[in-house]
Amino acid sequence: MESDIIEIGICLLDLKSGEISDNKGVLVKPERSTIGTFCTELTTITPEMVAQDGISFIEACTLLKKQYLSQSYPWASFGAYDMKQFQRQCSATDVGYPFSPSHINVKTLFALKKKLDHEHGMAGALELLDLPLEGTHHRGVDDAKNIAKILNWILNN
């Protein structure tokens, strides 16, 4: 089986005010794999949730481009994994990459800003900032919000 994206976390961060104006998760139906026990334990996403509320990967990419103008703005993730996963899945499924080339690696920026000797995971970064981890770790919707909080700290400190 190939790894498929099963949730896209969206969180819009107003860079001036630090406010989060939108936070949602888009469930994506896997096309090249199935959701196994390990994945459900990690994310809490079940095959039934995706079957009921999920959309295809191409529909999710179209949503990002049309509703969020994702090709016009920089986007951020914690590390490069999500960017590479999008690139791999887009290439494998012949779907246009939905993001602009401007990617912000919040994990690296955080380590540089805090002058750390190594990069920390998202939960560790929140702990270093004394910020609570909101929601379920590894759920796209919740991770997006937590990453936005870290990015906001980087930009304003």
Side-chain angles (χ1 to χ4, degrees), residues 20-111:
I20 292 170
S21 59
D22 196 358
N23 182 213
K24 69 186 273 185
V26 176
L27 293 176
V28 181
K29 294 178 182 175
E31 299 168 6
R32 305 169 301 154
S33 62
T34 58
I35 298 172
T37 304
F38 172 79
C39 187
T40 297
E41 288 173 358
L42 184 68
T43 66
T44 71
I45 297 172
T46 64
E48 295 77 21
M49 290 168 64
V50 172
Q52 180 178 339
D53 298 323
I55 60 176
S56 71
F57 181 67
I58 193 167
E59 289 173 306
C61 289
T62 300
L63 174 83
L64 289 170
K65 290 188 277 190
K66 289 187 175 179
Q67 187 171 338
Y68 293 97
L69 305 175
S70 60
Q71 293 181 315
S72 301
Y73 297 100
W75 69 289
S77 65
F78 208 79
Y81 179 85
D82 292 331
M83 178 184 68
K84 290 177 183 176
Q85 181 60 34
F86 261 101
Q87 290 169 338
R88 283 190 296 266
Q89 191 161 338
C90 285
S91 178
T93 59
D94 203 27
V95 172
Y97 186 68
F99 297 107
S100 80
S102 299
H103 174 257
I104 300 165
N105 184 331
V106 177
K107 185 177 192 176
T108 299
L109 281 179
F110 179 75

